[in-house]
Short mmCIF file of all heavy atoms in Angstrom, two decimals:
data_model
loop_
_atom_site.label_atom_id
_atom_site.label_comp_id
_atom_site.label_asym_id
_atom_site.label_seq_id
_atom_site.Cartn_x
_atom_site.Cartn_y
_atom_site.Cartn_z
N THR F 74 120.77 137.94 -69.18
CA THR F 74 121.33 136.60 -68.99
C THR F 74 122.40 136.32 -70.05
O THR F 74 122.37 136.90 -71.14
CB THR F 74 120.24 135.51 -69.05
OG1 THR F 74 119.75 135.39 -70.39
CG2 THR F 74 119.10 135.81 -68.09
N GLY F 75 123.34 135.47 -69.67
CA GLY F 75 124.43 135.16 -70.60
C GLY F 75 125.29 136.39 -70.88
O GLY F 75 125.83 136.56 -71.98
N ALA F 76 125.43 137.24 -69.85
CA ALA F 76 126.08 138.55 -70.06
C ALA F 76 127.56 138.58 -69.70
O ALA F 76 128.16 139.64 -69.60
CB ALA F 76 125.32 139.62 -69.28
N ALA F 77 128.14 137.39 -69.51
CA ALA F 77 129.57 137.34 -69.21
C ALA F 77 130.41 137.76 -70.41
O ALA F 77 131.54 138.24 -70.26
CB ALA F 77 129.96 135.93 -68.76
N ARG F 78 129.87 137.55 -71.61
CA ARG F 78 130.67 137.83 -72.82
C ARG F 78 129.73 138.06 -74.01
O ARG F 78 128.50 137.95 -73.88
CB ARG F 78 131.61 136.66 -73.10
CG ARG F 78 130.86 135.39 -73.50
CD ARG F 78 131.78 134.20 -73.68
NE ARG F 78 131.09 133.17 -74.43
CZ ARG F 78 131.39 131.88 -74.38
NH1 ARG F 78 132.39 131.47 -73.62
NH2 ARG F 78 130.72 131.01 -75.10
N GLY F 79 130.32 138.37 -75.15
CA GLY F 79 129.58 138.42 -76.41
C GLY F 79 128.43 139.41 -76.42
O GLY F 79 128.54 140.54 -75.90
N ILE F 80 127.33 139.00 -77.03
CA ILE F 80 126.17 139.88 -77.20
C ILE F 80 125.60 140.30 -75.85
O ILE F 80 125.20 141.46 -75.66
CB ILE F 80 125.09 139.15 -78.06
CG1 ILE F 80 125.59 138.95 -79.48
CG2 ILE F 80 123.77 139.92 -78.03
CD1 ILE F 80 124.74 138.01 -80.34
N GLY F 81 125.57 139.37 -74.89
CA GLY F 81 125.02 139.69 -73.57
C GLY F 81 125.84 140.75 -72.86
O GLY F 81 125.29 141.68 -72.26
N ALA F 82 127.16 140.64 -72.93
CA ALA F 82 128.04 141.62 -72.27
C ALA F 82 127.86 143.00 -72.93
O ALA F 82 127.77 144.02 -72.24
CB ALA F 82 129.50 141.17 -72.35
N VAL F 98 123.88 138.20 -65.32
CA VAL F 98 123.64 136.82 -64.92
C VAL F 98 124.31 135.88 -65.92
O VAL F 98 124.15 136.04 -67.13
CB VAL F 98 122.13 136.52 -64.84
CG1 VAL F 98 121.86 135.04 -64.57
CG2 VAL F 98 121.47 137.38 -63.76
N ASP F 99 125.06 134.90 -65.41
CA ASP F 99 125.73 133.95 -66.31
C ASP F 99 126.12 132.71 -65.52
O ASP F 99 126.34 132.77 -64.31
CB ASP F 99 126.97 134.58 -66.95
CG ASP F 99 127.34 133.92 -68.28
OD1 ASP F 99 127.86 132.78 -68.25
OD2 ASP F 99 127.12 134.54 -69.33
N LEU F 100 126.26 131.60 -66.23
CA LEU F 100 126.83 130.38 -65.66
C LEU F 100 128.24 130.67 -65.16
O LEU F 100 128.66 130.15 -64.13
CB LEU F 100 126.98 129.32 -66.77
CG LEU F 100 125.94 128.26 -66.98
CD1 LEU F 100 126.44 127.31 -68.06
CD2 LEU F 100 125.60 127.52 -65.71
N ASP F 101 128.97 131.47 -65.92
CA ASP F 101 130.36 131.79 -65.64
C ASP F 101 130.40 133.04 -64.75
O ASP F 101 130.41 134.17 -65.22
CB ASP F 101 131.09 132.04 -66.97
CG ASP F 101 132.58 132.31 -66.79
OD1 ASP F 101 133.00 132.64 -65.66
OD2 ASP F 101 133.30 132.21 -67.79
N GLN F 104 133.60 135.53 -65.01
CA GLN F 104 133.59 136.38 -66.21
C GLN F 104 132.43 137.38 -66.14
O GLN F 104 132.57 138.52 -66.62
CB GLN F 104 133.50 135.50 -67.46
CG GLN F 104 133.77 136.19 -68.77
CD GLN F 104 135.12 136.89 -68.83
OE1 GLN F 104 136.10 136.41 -68.26
NE2 GLN F 104 135.16 138.04 -69.49
N ALA F 124 124.37 131.93 -62.23
CA ALA F 124 123.15 131.12 -62.23
C ALA F 124 123.00 130.39 -63.56
O ALA F 124 123.41 130.90 -64.60
CB ALA F 124 121.91 132.00 -62.01
N ASP F 125 122.40 129.20 -63.49
CA ASP F 125 122.02 128.45 -64.68
C ASP F 125 120.55 128.78 -64.96
O ASP F 125 119.68 128.45 -64.14
CB ASP F 125 122.20 126.95 -64.39
CG ASP F 125 121.74 126.06 -65.54
OD1 ASP F 125 121.10 126.57 -66.49
OD2 ASP F 125 122.00 124.84 -65.47
N VAL F 126 120.28 129.42 -66.09
CA VAL F 126 118.91 129.87 -66.36
C VAL F 126 117.92 128.73 -66.56
O VAL F 126 116.71 128.96 -66.51
CB VAL F 126 118.84 130.82 -67.59
CG1 VAL F 126 119.63 132.10 -67.34
CG2 VAL F 126 119.31 130.12 -68.86
N SER F 127 118.42 127.51 -66.75
CA SER F 127 117.50 126.39 -66.94
C SER F 127 117.10 125.74 -65.60
O SER F 127 116.33 124.78 -65.58
CB SER F 127 118.11 125.34 -67.88
OG SER F 127 119.22 124.72 -67.27
N ASP F 128 117.64 126.28 -64.49
CA ASP F 128 117.39 125.73 -63.16
C ASP F 128 116.44 126.68 -62.40
O ASP F 128 116.80 127.82 -62.09
CB ASP F 128 118.75 125.61 -62.44
CG ASP F 128 118.63 125.16 -61.00
OD1 ASP F 128 117.58 125.38 -60.37
OD2 ASP F 128 119.63 124.60 -60.50
N ASN F 151 116.59 137.99 -72.27
CA ASN F 151 116.89 136.56 -72.27
C ASN F 151 117.86 136.27 -73.42
O ASN F 151 117.45 136.11 -74.58
CB ASN F 151 115.60 135.75 -72.44
CG ASN F 151 114.77 135.74 -71.18
OD1 ASN F 151 115.27 135.44 -70.09
ND2 ASN F 151 113.49 136.08 -71.31
N ASN F 152 119.14 136.24 -73.07
CA ASN F 152 120.21 136.14 -74.07
C ASN F 152 121.04 134.86 -73.93
O ASN F 152 121.69 134.45 -74.89
CB ASN F 152 121.10 137.38 -73.95
CG ASN F 152 122.42 137.25 -74.67
OD1 ASN F 152 122.52 137.51 -75.86
ND2 ASN F 152 123.46 136.81 -73.95
N ALA F 153 121.04 134.23 -72.76
CA ALA F 153 121.89 133.05 -72.53
C ALA F 153 121.61 132.00 -73.59
O ALA F 153 120.44 131.74 -73.93
CB ALA F 153 121.65 132.47 -71.15
N GLY F 154 122.66 131.42 -74.14
CA GLY F 154 122.43 130.43 -75.17
C GLY F 154 123.63 129.53 -75.39
O GLY F 154 124.76 129.87 -75.02
N ILE F 155 123.36 128.36 -75.95
CA ILE F 155 124.42 127.40 -76.29
C ILE F 155 124.11 126.80 -77.67
O ILE F 155 122.97 126.84 -78.13
CB ILE F 155 124.52 126.25 -75.26
CG1 ILE F 155 123.19 125.50 -75.14
CG2 ILE F 155 124.99 126.77 -73.91
CD1 ILE F 155 123.28 124.19 -74.35
N LEU F 156 125.16 126.25 -78.28
CA LEU F 156 125.00 125.49 -79.52
C LEU F 156 125.38 124.03 -79.26
O LEU F 156 126.34 123.76 -78.52
CB LEU F 156 125.97 126.00 -80.60
CG LEU F 156 125.75 127.38 -81.20
CD1 LEU F 156 126.85 127.64 -82.25
CD2 LEU F 156 124.38 127.51 -81.82
N ALA F 174 116.55 123.40 -73.23
CA ALA F 174 116.52 123.80 -71.81
C ALA F 174 117.09 125.19 -71.59
O ALA F 174 116.50 126.01 -70.88
CB ALA F 174 117.28 122.78 -70.96
N VAL F 175 118.24 125.49 -72.19
CA VAL F 175 118.86 126.79 -71.94
C VAL F 175 118.06 127.91 -72.61
O VAL F 175 117.70 128.91 -71.97
CB VAL F 175 120.33 126.81 -72.42
CG1 VAL F 175 120.93 128.21 -72.23
CG2 VAL F 175 121.15 125.77 -71.66
N HIS F 176 117.74 127.75 -73.88
CA HIS F 176 117.07 128.84 -74.60
C HIS F 176 115.60 128.99 -74.18
O HIS F 176 115.17 130.09 -73.82
CB HIS F 176 117.12 128.60 -76.12
CG HIS F 176 118.50 128.65 -76.69
ND1 HIS F 176 119.07 129.80 -77.17
CD2 HIS F 176 119.44 127.69 -76.85
CE1 HIS F 176 120.29 129.55 -77.60
NE2 HIS F 176 120.54 128.28 -77.42
N LEU F 202 116.38 136.82 -77.26
CA LEU F 202 117.32 136.67 -78.38
C LEU F 202 116.92 135.46 -79.21
O LEU F 202 117.11 134.32 -78.78
CB LEU F 202 118.76 136.53 -77.86
CG LEU F 202 119.57 137.83 -77.74
CD1 LEU F 202 119.93 138.38 -79.12
CD2 LEU F 202 118.80 138.90 -76.97
N SER F 203 116.35 135.72 -80.38
CA SER F 203 116.06 134.67 -81.34
C SER F 203 117.26 134.58 -82.28
O SER F 203 118.40 134.87 -81.87
CB SER F 203 114.75 134.98 -82.07
OG SER F 203 114.44 133.98 -83.01
N SER F 204 117.05 134.24 -83.53
CA SER F 204 118.16 134.09 -84.48
C SER F 204 117.58 133.92 -85.88
O SER F 204 116.45 133.46 -86.04
CB SER F 204 118.97 132.83 -84.12
OG SER F 204 119.85 132.48 -85.18
N THR F 205 118.37 134.25 -86.89
CA THR F 205 117.96 133.93 -88.26
C THR F 205 117.82 132.41 -88.43
O THR F 205 117.12 131.95 -89.33
CB THR F 205 118.98 134.46 -89.29
OG1 THR F 205 120.29 134.05 -88.89
CG2 THR F 205 118.94 135.98 -89.38
N SER F 206 118.44 131.64 -87.54
CA SER F 206 118.30 130.18 -87.61
C SER F 206 116.86 129.73 -87.35
O SER F 206 116.50 128.59 -87.69
CB SER F 206 119.22 129.49 -86.59
OG SER F 206 120.57 129.69 -86.95
N TYR F 216 118.56 123.99 -82.21
CA TYR F 216 118.70 125.45 -82.04
C TYR F 216 117.61 126.20 -82.82
O TYR F 216 117.02 127.16 -82.32
CB TYR F 216 120.09 125.82 -82.53
CG TYR F 216 120.52 127.26 -82.35
CD1 TYR F 216 120.98 127.72 -81.11
CD2 TYR F 216 120.52 128.14 -83.42
CE1 TYR F 216 121.42 129.04 -80.97
CE2 TYR F 216 120.96 129.45 -83.28
CZ TYR F 216 121.41 129.89 -82.05
OH TYR F 216 121.85 131.19 -81.91
N LYS F 220 114.91 128.67 -81.22
CA LYS F 220 114.83 130.08 -81.60
C LYS F 220 113.48 130.44 -82.22
O LYS F 220 113.01 131.57 -82.07
CB LYS F 220 115.98 130.43 -82.56
CG LYS F 220 117.37 130.39 -81.91
CD LYS F 220 117.42 131.21 -80.63
CE LYS F 220 118.85 131.60 -80.24
NZ LYS F 220 118.86 132.27 -78.91
N LEU F 223 111.12 130.64 -79.26
CA LEU F 223 111.23 131.92 -78.55
C LEU F 223 110.36 133.00 -79.21
O LEU F 223 109.86 133.90 -78.53
CB LEU F 223 112.69 132.39 -78.52
CG LEU F 223 113.55 131.70 -77.44
CD1 LEU F 223 115.03 132.01 -77.66
CD2 LEU F 223 113.13 132.16 -76.05
N VAL F 244 114.76 139.99 -80.73
CA VAL F 244 115.79 140.41 -81.69
C VAL F 244 116.38 139.13 -82.26
O VAL F 244 116.76 138.22 -81.51
CB VAL F 244 116.88 141.25 -81.00
CG1 VAL F 244 118.03 141.54 -81.96
CG2 VAL F 244 116.29 142.56 -80.47
N ALA F 245 116.41 139.05 -83.59
CA ALA F 245 116.91 137.84 -84.25
C ALA F 245 118.18 138.19 -85.04
O ALA F 245 118.11 138.67 -86.17
CB ALA F 245 115.85 137.28 -85.19
N PRO F 246 119.35 137.99 -84.40
CA PRO F 246 120.61 138.35 -85.08
C PRO F 246 120.93 137.40 -86.22
O PRO F 246 120.58 136.22 -86.21
CB PRO F 246 121.67 138.21 -83.98
CG PRO F 246 120.91 138.15 -82.68
CD PRO F 246 119.59 137.53 -83.03
N GLY F 247 121.66 137.94 -87.19
CA GLY F 247 122.32 137.11 -88.19
C GLY F 247 123.70 136.75 -87.67
O GLY F 247 123.85 136.43 -86.49
N PHE F 248 124.70 136.82 -88.51
CA PHE F 248 126.05 136.40 -88.12
C PHE F 248 126.72 137.49 -87.28
O PHE F 248 126.98 138.58 -87.77
CB PHE F 248 126.88 136.12 -89.36
CG PHE F 248 128.21 135.46 -89.08
CD1 PHE F 248 128.44 134.14 -89.45
CD2 PHE F 248 129.22 136.15 -88.41
CE1 PHE F 248 129.66 133.53 -89.16
CE2 PHE F 248 130.43 135.54 -88.12
CZ PHE F 248 130.65 134.23 -88.51
N ILE F 249 127.01 137.17 -86.03
CA ILE F 249 127.68 138.12 -85.13
C ILE F 249 129.02 137.54 -84.69
O ILE F 249 129.11 136.35 -84.35
CB ILE F 249 126.80 138.41 -83.88
CG1 ILE F 249 125.35 138.74 -84.26
CG2 ILE F 249 127.43 139.53 -83.04
CD1 ILE F 249 125.17 139.96 -85.14
N GLU F 250 130.05 138.38 -84.69
CA GLU F 250 131.40 137.93 -84.32
C GLU F 250 131.51 137.80 -82.80
O GLU F 250 131.65 138.79 -82.09
CB GLU F 250 132.43 138.95 -84.85
CG GLU F 250 133.86 138.52 -84.63
CD GLU F 250 134.86 139.52 -85.21
OE1 GLU F 250 134.48 140.41 -86.00
OE2 GLU F 250 136.04 139.40 -84.85
N THR F 251 131.40 136.56 -82.32
CA THR F 251 131.52 136.27 -80.87
C THR F 251 132.20 134.91 -80.70
O THR F 251 132.49 134.22 -81.67
CB THR F 251 130.13 136.18 -80.18
OG1 THR F 251 129.47 134.99 -80.67
CG2 THR F 251 129.27 137.39 -80.42
N ASP F 252 132.37 134.52 -79.44
CA ASP F 252 132.94 133.20 -79.15
C ASP F 252 132.07 132.07 -79.72
O ASP F 252 132.57 130.99 -80.01
CB ASP F 252 133.10 133.00 -77.64
CG ASP F 252 134.23 133.83 -77.08
OD1 ASP F 252 135.06 134.33 -77.87
OD2 ASP F 252 134.31 133.98 -75.84
N MET F 253 130.75 132.35 -79.85
CA MET F 253 129.84 131.32 -80.37
C MET F 253 130.17 131.03 -81.84
O MET F 253 130.28 129.86 -82.24
CB MET F 253 128.38 131.76 -80.22
CG MET F 253 127.38 130.70 -80.61
SD MET F 253 125.66 131.22 -80.35
CE MET F 253 125.39 130.62 -78.68
N THR F 254 130.35 132.06 -82.65
CA THR F 254 130.68 131.84 -84.06
C THR F 254 132.14 131.38 -84.21
O THR F 254 132.47 130.63 -85.12
CB THR F 254 130.38 133.09 -84.91
OG1 THR F 254 130.79 134.27 -84.20
CG2 THR F 254 128.91 133.20 -85.23
N PRO F 284 128.66 142.58 -81.58
CA PRO F 284 127.73 142.57 -80.44
C PRO F 284 127.01 143.91 -80.22
O PRO F 284 125.82 143.92 -79.90
CB PRO F 284 128.64 142.20 -79.26
CG PRO F 284 129.67 141.30 -79.88
CD PRO F 284 129.94 141.91 -81.23
N ILE F 287 123.70 144.40 -82.02
CA ILE F 287 122.53 143.76 -81.38
C ILE F 287 122.12 144.55 -80.14
O ILE F 287 120.93 144.77 -79.89
CB ILE F 287 122.85 142.29 -81.03
CG1 ILE F 287 123.32 141.54 -82.29
CG2 ILE F 287 121.65 141.61 -80.40
CD1 ILE F 287 122.39 141.66 -83.49
P1 NAI P 687 128.39 133.32 -76.42
O1 NAI P 687 128.55 131.85 -76.50
O2 NAI P 687 129.54 134.20 -76.73
O3 NAI P 687 127.83 133.74 -74.98
C1 NAI P 687 126.74 133.06 -74.39
C2 NAI P 687 126.80 133.27 -72.89
O4 NAI P 687 125.69 132.53 -72.31
C3 NAI P 687 128.08 132.73 -72.24
O5 NAI P 687 128.64 133.70 -71.38
C4 NAI P 687 127.58 131.50 -71.47
O6 NAI P 687 128.33 131.24 -70.28
C5 NAI P 687 126.15 131.89 -71.16
N1 NAI P 687 125.31 130.72 -70.85
C6 NAI P 687 125.24 129.56 -71.54
N2 NAI P 687 124.41 128.72 -70.94
C7 NAI P 687 123.92 129.35 -69.84
C8 NAI P 687 123.02 128.98 -68.82
N3 NAI P 687 122.43 127.77 -68.79
N4 NAI P 687 122.75 129.88 -67.84
C9 NAI P 687 123.34 131.10 -67.84
N5 NAI P 687 124.19 131.50 -68.79
C10 NAI P 687 124.50 130.63 -69.78
O7 NAI P 687 127.13 133.64 -77.39
P2 NAI P 687 126.72 134.96 -78.21
O8 NAI P 687 127.20 134.81 -79.59
O9 NAI P 687 127.03 136.18 -77.44
O10 NAI P 687 125.12 134.74 -78.26
C11 NAI P 687 124.21 135.35 -77.34
C12 NAI P 687 122.79 135.00 -77.78
O11 NAI P 687 122.57 135.45 -79.12
C13 NAI P 687 122.49 133.51 -77.77
O12 NAI P 687 121.16 133.29 -77.35
C14 NAI P 687 122.67 133.13 -79.23
O13 NAI P 687 121.94 131.96 -79.53
C15 NAI P 687 122.13 134.37 -79.90
N6 NAI P 687 122.59 134.53 -81.29
C16 NAI P 687 123.93 134.64 -81.59
C17 NAI P 687 124.34 134.79 -82.91
C18 NAI P 687 125.78 134.91 -83.31
O14 NAI P 687 126.06 134.95 -84.52
N7 NAI P 687 126.73 134.99 -82.38
C19 NAI P 687 123.35 134.81 -84.01
C20 NAI P 687 121.99 134.70 -83.57
C21 NAI P 687 121.64 134.56 -82.26
#
Side-chain angles (χ1 to χ4, degrees):
T74 70
R78 67 184 197 204
I80 293 168
V98 174
D99 205 287
L100 264 185
D101 183 343
Q104 193 56 35
D125 176 350
V126 297
S127 67
D128 175 334
N151 286 309
N152 166 85
I155 58 169
L156 292 180
V175 176
H176 294 270
L202 267 290
S203 180
S204 167
T205 50
S206 293
Y216 185 80
K220 292 308 201 186
L223 281 169
V244 173
F248 190 110
I249 311 299
E250 185 178 346
T251 68
D252 287 346
M253 186 177 268
T254 41
I287 304 308

